[in-house]
Structures are given as structure tokens and as C-alpha cells.
Amino acid sequence: IRCAAMIPWEPITAVAAAAAAVATAALAVGTFRMATKTADAVAVARRAQELSIRPLLADPRPPDPGTPEDRVQFGAPGRALVSMPAGSFYWKREEGSFRLSVVFENVGAGVAVMQRASLEPRAGADLSMSRKLVPVGTTVRVSASILLGDGPGSFGTDWWAMGGVFVSVTYTDAAGTQPLVSRAEIRQYATHEPFVEKIAIFHAGESEPFVEGRVF
């Protein structure tokens, strides 16, 4: 009787296990790469979506001929109702009060949802915004009414904008994300009356703008 040759199962099992481990590792690497590519694709898609709905409030373009004047309702004191050229920068001091109005236009890709407005120096201003939602190509006015005291406050002098006055608006996209801040810088010089010199746009919470430009 002939005996069958003994098959070396242990080395074969070890080789098979090693091959299985290599295959598993290769599958894991492939899965990781696919997951990474998928994550990258999702990130790109998300970024594209954000850009497609991101608003940007900047200086307004010159109005078309025949555009009706803006009618601005200021707050206290006085609660004056004032007509002014469409898209114009406005200021006036009279009877112990000071009024200021700045326009921003949405030049971005989506609706701007206005959150709040601010003025620096604060000066106890009564601030108002002309609208809550600002579609692309439309404008929003930020208007301030200030009660002037007996002291030499900056808004009570003829040189109120020499050190710079800043009107800022905070807003988001229609999804309530991408909070941004647009800031108008008002200046005046010995040879130039007060005007909006520059508008800068910030990511909310950041101190450096990601875009800024002078107003011409």
C-alpha cells in the first residue's frame, strides 16, 4: 500500500493568509482613495454651491437716467423723511441733529439677508436699514440719525469725517450661512468734502478684508 505524500499545509496556509492580508490592505487603500476623492468632490461641490448663492454688498453703480429719487425715513430725533438722488451718499447737520445715509449694492450671486448695521464712532445713533432682503442688483440704505449734545462731538464739527467714520452691515446668504461684513469708510480732506472713500468686505469675525476697493 502506497501512502500519499504529506502536503505541507502550514506554509501554504501562511502564504494564503499573507496574500489575503495584502489583498485586504490593497482594498483598504483603494477604498481610502475613493473616499478621499469623494470627500474632495463633495467639498468642491459645496464650495461651488456657496459661491453660487453668496451675496456681496459693495458700492452702488451710477443709477440709470430717470431713476426715481430715494425717500429715506430717518429715526429719532426728528424722524425726518428726506428725498435724495438714488444711490447717493447723504449727510446733513441741522437743529442739533446729524443725519447720515450710505448705500450698498448687492453685486454678488445670491440674496443678502441683512442682520444688523453699525456706526463707528457710535455716537448714540438711531440706525435703520431700508430693507431686510437684498436681491442681486438691488441696493440697501443704512441711515443714521444722531442727537448732537453741547460738547464738541465729532459729528458736531465741520470736520466730522477727518478721522474716518465707518458704516458696517452684517449679512448672510439665503441659507443663513457665509456671514459677511461690508464696511464703508467715509473720509474728508481739506480740499474735499465728506465722501465714501472705500468699501471693504470681511468674513465675519476676521479683522482683515478679503476684498476692498476705492469708490470712484
Side-chain angles (χ1 to χ4, degrees):
I1 299 174
R2 292 186 302 172
C3 295
M6 296 295 294
I7 299 174
W9 291 112
E10 291 184 1
I12 293 175
T13 302
V15 170
V22 170
T24 301
L27 179 61
V29 170
T31 302
F32 174 77
R33 288 179 177 174
M34 290 181 62
T36 300
K37 290 182 179 180
T38 301
D40 289 344
V42 170
V44 170
R46 183 183 297 114
R47 181 59 176 163
Q49 171 67 13
E50 289 175 347
L51 290 175
S52 72
I53 64 172
R54 185 172 72 178
L56 288 174
L57 297 184
D59 53 299
R61 292 167 291 185
D64 295 328
T67 300
E69 289 190 328
D70 292 340
R71 287 178 61 80
V72 181
Q73 178 70 66
F74 288 89
R79 302 192 180 280
L81 180 61
V82 180
S83 294
M84 59 193 69
S88 65
F89 167 62
Y90 170 90
W91 72 274
K92 189 170 185 178
R93 183 174 56 246
E94 63 180 13
E95 299 177 358
S97 66
F98 185 95
R99 295 192 291 271
L100 174 72
S101 187
V102 177
V103 180
F104 298 86
E105 180 177 348
N106 186 358
V107 299
V111 174
V113 182
M114 307 304 296
Q115 303 297 317
R116 58 186 176 275
S118 63
L119 174 70
E120 292 293 338
R122 295 182 183 181
D126 186 350
L127 288 169
S128 63
M129 294 184 289
S130 61
R131 62 200 308 170
K132 177 68 174 178
L133 301 178
V134 188
V136 175
T138 64
T139 61
V140 58
R141 270 193 180 274
V142 179
S143 302
S145 185
I146 302 167
L147 176 64
L148 298 178
D150 296 330
S154 62
F155 291 102
T157 71
D158 291 335
W159 302 101
W160 59 272
M162 285 291 286
V165 171
F166 302 91
V167 177
S168 300
V169 286
T170 301
Y171 53 99
T172 68
D173 59 30
T177 60
Q178 304 185 85
L180 299 173
V181 177
S182 290
R183 186 184 69 188
E185 181 177 336
I186 303 165
R187 293 280 181 178
Q188 74 182 113
Y189 300 98
T191 57
H192 202 300
E193 64 182 6
F195 68 109
V196 178
E197 182 178 56
K198 182 169 59 177
I199 289 184
I201 305 176
F202 305 76
H203 293 292
E206 296 186 359
S207 59
E208 293 297 325
F210 66 89
V211 63
E212 64 180 354
R214 291 185 175 274
V215 178
F216 298 101

